[in-house]
Amino acid sequence: MQRILSNLKQALRSKILVLGLMIFISVSGLGIFIQQPSYATTLEELKLIPPDYKPTPEEKINRANEFDPGVGIQEEDRQEAYEQAVKDSKNLGTIEKAYERNLKAEGNSEPNLIDKAVEKVTGK
């Protein structure tokens, strides 16, 4: 009689253990379907910026400087290059001068990696 009760007790323990593990796996699997928080932006932040807001170049530069001064400098250089290109596009004479200026600047720059590799391979 004791063997029968011992076997039943062992079978009951193993069934409870299996059932517990199944419940644990099911509950932990539910975490996959729960939407994780997004740290990119929130709905409240999107409401703060009106959709028709277009920042000026100065505001873009100031914002870039807040994150990283190097990025702000790049933005300033890009803005200056754009303003120079607009100025140069006013008439044909300045376009030719801008082209010559760009050729000189390109000639003064160091050779890029591809040029160095070609020189190394060809021996020239």
Side-chain angles (χ1 to χ4, degrees):
M1 184 74 166
Q2 282 184 338
R3 276 186 14 199
I4 295 172
L5 288 176
S6 172
N7 287 340
L8 286 175
K9 200 187 268 187
Q10 187 178 6
L12 184 63
R13 282 183 187 162
S14 66
K15 294 225 184 236
I16 289 174
L17 179 65
V18 168
L19 183 66
L21 287 174
M22 288 175 57
I23 290 172
F24 175 73
I25 290 172
S26 298
V27 170
S28 64
L30 291 175
I32 295 172
F33 301 109
I34 296 173
Q35 184 177 1
Q36 298 296 319
S38 173
Y39 297 111
T41 186
T42 61
L43 185 60
E44 289 79 19
E45 288 176 345
L46 290 175
K47 288 179 183 176
L48 291 175
I49 302 171
D52 57 342
Y53 173 70
K54 302 289 185 221
T56 64
E58 291 80 22
E59 290 174 335
K60 287 181 184 178
I61 292 170
N62 290 339
R63 185 163 186 250
N65 277 327
E66 288 176 9
F67 292 113
D68 184 14
V71 175
I73 292 170
Q74 290 174 352
E75 184 69 28
E76 288 173 358
D77 292 343
R78 196 181 96 191
Q79 186 64 30
E80 288 172 8
Y82 173 76
E83 290 170 359
Q84 183 66 35
V86 168
K87 213 184 299 181
D88 290 342
S89 68
K90 296 296 181 192
N91 62 26
L92 189 60
T94 56
I95 291 176
E96 292 173 358
K97 289 178 184 175
Y99 177 71
E100 291 172 4
R101 185 176 61 237
N102 289 339
L103 279 179
K104 286 180 185 176
E106 193 173 303
N108 293 338
S109 66
E110 294 181 15
N112 60 16
L113 186 62
I114 295 172
D115 293 337
K116 288 180 182 177
V118 169
E119 290 174 8
K120 190 173 185 179
V121 170
T122 58
K124 294 182 180 177

